[in-house]
Amino acid sequence: MKRNLFLIYFLIVNTFLLFDAKSNIENKIVLKVGNKIITSYEVKNKILRSLFLSNTEVNQKNINNIKSQILENLILLKLKEVELEKYNFKADKTKVNNYILRSTSNDKFTIKEKFKNNDLDFNLYIKEIETEFKWRQFIFRQYSNKIEINQSLIIEEVNKILNSKSVSKEYNLSEIEILKSTAETNEKLTLKILQEIKSNGFESTALKLSISSTASQKGNLGWINEKMLSKRIYNIVEKMKPGQISEPIIEVDNILFLKLNSIRDIENNIDADKLKNTLLDQKRNEMFDLYSKSHLSKLKNNFFIEYK
């Protein structure tokens, strides 16, 4: 029932969001998520900010292409805010500042001026970043004692890599992770994302729309050894050529797009302890990511998301 009601509200909001990029909109409540609200001001600000940060032209076509995904991302943000109200997490100001510097080419002053000149709310931007860092703290505290990694399997994997052929491949990958929409089919949503990638590039789309923690790095995952990829991902990546984008990878709540940036061969003279620690970190991060998605999915199912 909630999903049907939300579909109706979503369609109404979609109609409402057909604004002209240059126009002023009366600030009103668009959605209510628990005890949090999403206003038309927040929606417009985030849409225009996403276009601005990704150096994408502000026009009606680009606005229409991303508005539904932006609204989905704002709903997730509000769900996090509702949950975090139960706790007293403080965002690490140093980490927040470093994040801003990384995403703005180490020029925080200029970006603040550009926000001001483009009538964008810099404080809303900072608040979102702080919420994300608090959320990471929450997930770590909530689930760290539930993460159990089989050390013998890790050692087995290390030995498998070290004893394999003398030369192995490494893949430089980027990702875009999109939340599934309750208002659009997977096919329609993936087509929209692919059109966005075609028009504005993979990196720009990742920065604007990806819900992954790699979004601030334009989706870049860096170099990954072939042996560290899951079988499913490896079977996809090994058939790709540099510059190619994968077919949409449909998961439970998300849709994943991968881009193969480049490939290189490396000698397998890897330090065993370093490799073990890398694999452990990778497994932990994967499990924390799964717990985060699962927790958000439960919140979304338990809260009535109401159009106002």
Side-chain angles (χ1 to χ4, degrees), residues 53 98-106 111 125 129 207 216-218:
L53 290 176
N98 288 340
Y99 177 96
I100 296 169
L101 290 174
R102 283 198 311 273
S103 59
T104 58
S105 303
N106 293 314
I111 203 68
Y125 179 52
I129 297 170
L207 187 62
S216 63
Q217 286 79 49
K218 300 182 179 180

Side-chain angles (χ1 to χ4, degrees), residues 10 14 64-73 176-197 205 209 211 248-251 253-257 300:
F10 199 103
N14 257 355
N64 292 343
N65 283 343
I66 69 170
K67 65 180 184 289
S68 59
Q69 191 63 41
I70 289 292
L71 189 59
E72 289 274 11
N73 291 350
I176 295 172
E177 187 178 358
I178 302 296
L179 187 70
K180 284 184 179 177
S181 174
T182 52
E184 296 176 302
T185 64
N186 290 341
E187 291 76 15
K188 185 175 180 180
L189 179 58
T190 55
L191 180 60
K192 185 181 292 185
I193 299 302
L194 289 171
Q195 288 173 339
E196 179 71 21
I197 292 170
T205 304
L209 299 179
I211 62 170
I249 302 167
I250 309 298
E251 300 181 332
D253 295 310
N254 307 310
I255 302 173
L256 181 68
F257 300 82
K300 194 172 182 181

Side-chain angles (χ1 to χ4, degrees), residues 172 257 265:
N172 190 285
F257 300 82
D265 293 328

Side-chain angles (χ1 to χ4, degrees), residues 156-308:
E156 183 181 323
E157 188 67 24
V158 168
N159 291 332
K160 182 180 177 182
I161 293 172
L162 295 177
N163 295 329
S164 62
K165 55 189 179 182
S166 59
V167 176
S168 62
K169 292 187 182 299
E170 282 191 340
Y171 299 98
N172 190 285
L173 297 168
S174 295
E175 65 173 352
I176 295 172
E177 187 178 358
I178 302 296
L179 187 70
K180 284 184 179 177
S181 174
T182 52
E184 296 176 302
T185 64
N186 290 341
E187 291 76 15
K188 185 175 180 180
L189 179 58
T190 55
L191 180 60
K192 185 181 292 185
I193 299 302
L194 289 171
Q195 288 173 339
E196 179 71 21
I197 292 170
K198 183 178 179 181
S199 298
N200 299 300
F202 193 94
E203 291 74 18
S204 173
T205 304
L207 187 62
K208 278 187 290 189
L209 299 179
S210 180
I211 62 170
S212 170
S213 59
T214 61
S216 63
Q217 286 79 49
K218 300 182 179 180
N220 189 260
L221 289 161
W223 288 100
I224 304 175
N225 190 283
E226 61 183 336
K227 301 295 183 182
M228 296 184 186
L229 296 170
S230 69
K231 185 176 180 180
R232 182 188 183 195
I233 297 299
Y234 175 74
N235 288 338
I236 294 170
V237 170
E238 69 161 340
K239 298 172 185 175
M240 294 170 63
K241 296 179 181 179
Q244 188 175 354
I245 297 167
S246 71
E247 291 295 317
I249 302 167
I250 309 298
E251 300 181 332
V252 177
D253 295 310
N254 307 310
I255 302 173
L256 181 68
F257 300 82
L258 293 174
K259 179 183 178 183
L260 176 59
N261 301 311
S262 52
I263 309 171
R264 68 185 180 188
D265 293 328
I266 62 162
E267 297 288 336
N268 279 343
N269 54 354
I270 305 170
D271 180 87
D273 289 335
K274 184 178 179 180
L275 178 58
K276 179 183 176 182
N277 290 333
T278 300
L279 287 173
L280 283 170
D281 286 342
Q282 183 182 14
K283 295 296 182 185
R284 287 193 193 98
N285 289 337
E286 287 175 357
M287 294 183 76
F288 277 124
D289 190 44
L290 287 173
Y291 278 124
S292 176
K293 291 173 184 174
S294 174
H295 200 96
L296 278 172
S297 180
K298 290 176 183 176
L299 289 177
K300 194 172 182 181
N301 288 332
N302 290 335
F303 278 93
F304 185 72
I305 301 172
E306 180 183 5
Y307 173 73
K308 302 297 288 184

Side-chain angles (χ1 to χ4, degrees), residues 22-39:
K22 304 289 184 181
S23 68
N24 292 319
I25 296 182
E26 177 189 354
N27 190 29
K28 61 173 68 174
I29 297 173
V30 177
L31 285 175
K32 186 175 181 183
V33 183
N35 63 348
K36 297 290 180 180
I37 60 171
I38 297 174
T39 67

Side-chain angles (χ1 to χ4, degrees), residues 21-22 45 48-49 52 58 110-121:
K22 304 289 184 181
N45 214 275
L48 298 182
R49 183 212 310 159
F52 166 70
V58 177
T110 301
I111 203 68
K112 287 181 72 173
E113 285 299 305
K114 287 182 177 179
F115 265 61
K116 183 178 179 181
N117 294 336
N118 286 276
D119 198 27
L120 296 171
D121 194 323

